[in-house]
Amino acid sequence: MHVLRTPDYRFENLPGYSFQPHYVEVSAADSTMLRVHYVDEGPADAPVVLLLHGEPSWSYLYRHMIPVLADARLRAVAIDLVGFGRSDKPADRSDYSYQAHVDWTRAAIETIGLRDITLFCQDWGGLIGLRLVAETPELFARVVASNTFLPTGDEKPSEAFLAWQKYSQQTRVLKVGQIIDGATVSALPPEVIAGYDAPFPDDSFKAGARQFPTLVPTSPSDPAAPANRAAWAALGSYDKPFLCAFSDSDPVTRGGDAALASHVPGARNHPPVTIESAGHFLQEDKGDELAHLVTAFISATS
């Protein structure tokens, strides 16, 4: 496996992102060791809030939420998925699979030593995180699911997702920062757009970003479909606190909150919350509000 690593200078002086980097190593199928980056802020012995980002973002997406959580005396841990942020980036698209990402993220969580986790997951952070909740429920104390879903390939994806999937494969240049900007309600300043571009000095670093949209199960025969069906079934017995916090302006995941809330027993006493005036990347639009929602949810369910 050929692995790329973004130079550290690319992450200097990013607005709002002065967090100390932390790293663990996880093993790929061919025994290549991959370095995984994570932010770790707040008291080391405090309750853990695990923040999992999606495609094509990285932990920079959580820069508004992390200080609020840390100030509330929570331990905010934001992992960069393999292929994103300051984590290593396998250079071949064939190195990326849904299962590999579940395995790499699980290994990172275990190596960091996280337990009694409150999971906040959005986009692919949910596709991976909800699998982990279903497969290792003992690690998680509660879940906040936001603009995400757990596709099995048995239902047709939204037209908005199919349009995104097509665009991601056909566009000549995948402009990551502009993609994030286009999926928020608020207009991002140039320096923030540049922050989202920072992990990707050129297209050779974007194999993961290119491959991710193709890994979402869109047919019953998808390689990830059986594991996701099993995970969906397991979530039907998950009775720990579960809250859906979806935005009002995301055509990609619209309706996912209702599906999760009606299926997961732990959601029955926690009605879904709608975050108003927010797009797909609602952490950009309403990060402060989301962080306060998470702290209140932890306080109410502890």
Side-chain angles (χ1 to χ4, degrees):
M1 180 184 291
H2 178 51
V3 178
L4 303 175
R5 182 171 294 173
T6 304
D8 286 342
Y9 77 85
R10 297 277 300 184
F11 302 100
E12 295 176 356
N13 301 316
L14 298 183
Y17 192 86
S18 58
F19 310 117
Q20 183 71 23
H22 300 266
Y23 299 97
V24 292
E25 288 192 331
V26 302
S27 179
D30 67 351
S31 298
T32 297
M33 298 307 294
L34 298 170
R35 192 177 76 167
V36 174
H37 166 259
Y38 65 102
V39 175
D40 195 341
E41 296 288 319
D45 59 350
V48 175
V49 180
L50 175 62
L51 308 163
L52 290 183
H53 71 83
E55 146 81 4
S57 63
W58 59 291
S59 58
Y60 189 64
L61 181 67
Y62 286 108
R63 71 194 183 282
H64 300 306
M65 295 180 64
I66 290 168
V68 177
L69 296 171
D71 287 347
R73 300 199 59 78
L74 297 168
R75 181 184 175 189
V77 177
I79 292 174
D80 283 338
L81 301 177
V82 172
F84 299 85
R86 300 187 77 147
S87 291
D88 282 349
K89 299 169 183 66
D92 192 327
R93 289 180 60 165
S94 65
D95 292 328
Y96 296 88
S97 70
Y98 197 138
Q99 186 62 53
H101 270 285
V102 172
D103 293 341
W104 291 332
T105 307
R106 179 189 290 112
I109 290 169
E110 292 175 348
T111 304
I112 297 168
L114 305 180
R115 295 290 185 273
D116 295 321
I117 298 165
T118 296
L119 173 66
F120 182 94
C121 56
Q122 182 261 342
D123 190 86
W124 260 98
L127 272 70
I128 295 168
L130 294 176
R131 273 277 300 271
L132 293 173
V133 170
E135 294 173 0
T136 53
E138 66 278 4
L139 293 180
F140 297 90
R142 62 186 63 78
V143 176
V144 180
S146 188
N147 288 4
T148 192
F149 56 111
L150 188 65
T152 63
D154 297 314
E155 296 184 3
K156 185 179 178 181
S158 68
E159 292 299 325
F161 171 76
L162 293 175
W164 153 245
Q165 187 183 59
K166 181 179 179 180
Y167 170 81
S168 70
Q169 303 309 298
Q170 294 184 351
T171 186
R172 186 177 64 84
V173 179
L174 195 68
K175 298 180 179 180
V176 171
Q178 290 186 14
I179 289 168
I180 305 296
D181 184 40
T184 59
V185 169
S186 52
L188 303 184
E191 60 270 22
V192 170
I193 293 174
Y196 282 109
D197 288 328
F200 311 107
D202 58 54
D203 278 358
S204 68
F205 287 77
K206 299 178 184 177
R210 284 280 192 182
Q211 190 68 2
F212 251 42
T214 72
L215 301 180
V216 177
T218 56
S219 72
S221 60
D222 187 278
N228 275 19
R229 289 191 196 103
W232 183 253
L235 288 175
S237 300
Y238 187 79
D239 59 3
K240 296 178 185 177
F242 193 105
L243 177 66
C244 293
F246 280 48
S247 69
D248 62 352
S249 300
D250 181 24
V252 174
T253 63
R254 183 176 293 129
D257 49 350
L260 284 165
S262 64
H263 181 69
V264 180
R268 288 173 188 161
N269 293 323
H270 308 288
V273 174
T274 299
I275 307 299
E276 297 182 354
S277 302
H280 181 66
F281 294 104
L282 70 176
Q283 302 96 316
E284 273 292 343
D285 291 315
K286 297 290 183 176
D288 187 82
E289 180 179 335
L290 282 169
H292 285 292
L293 178 70
V294 172
T295 60
F297 184 53
I298 292 171
S299 177
T301 57
S302 294

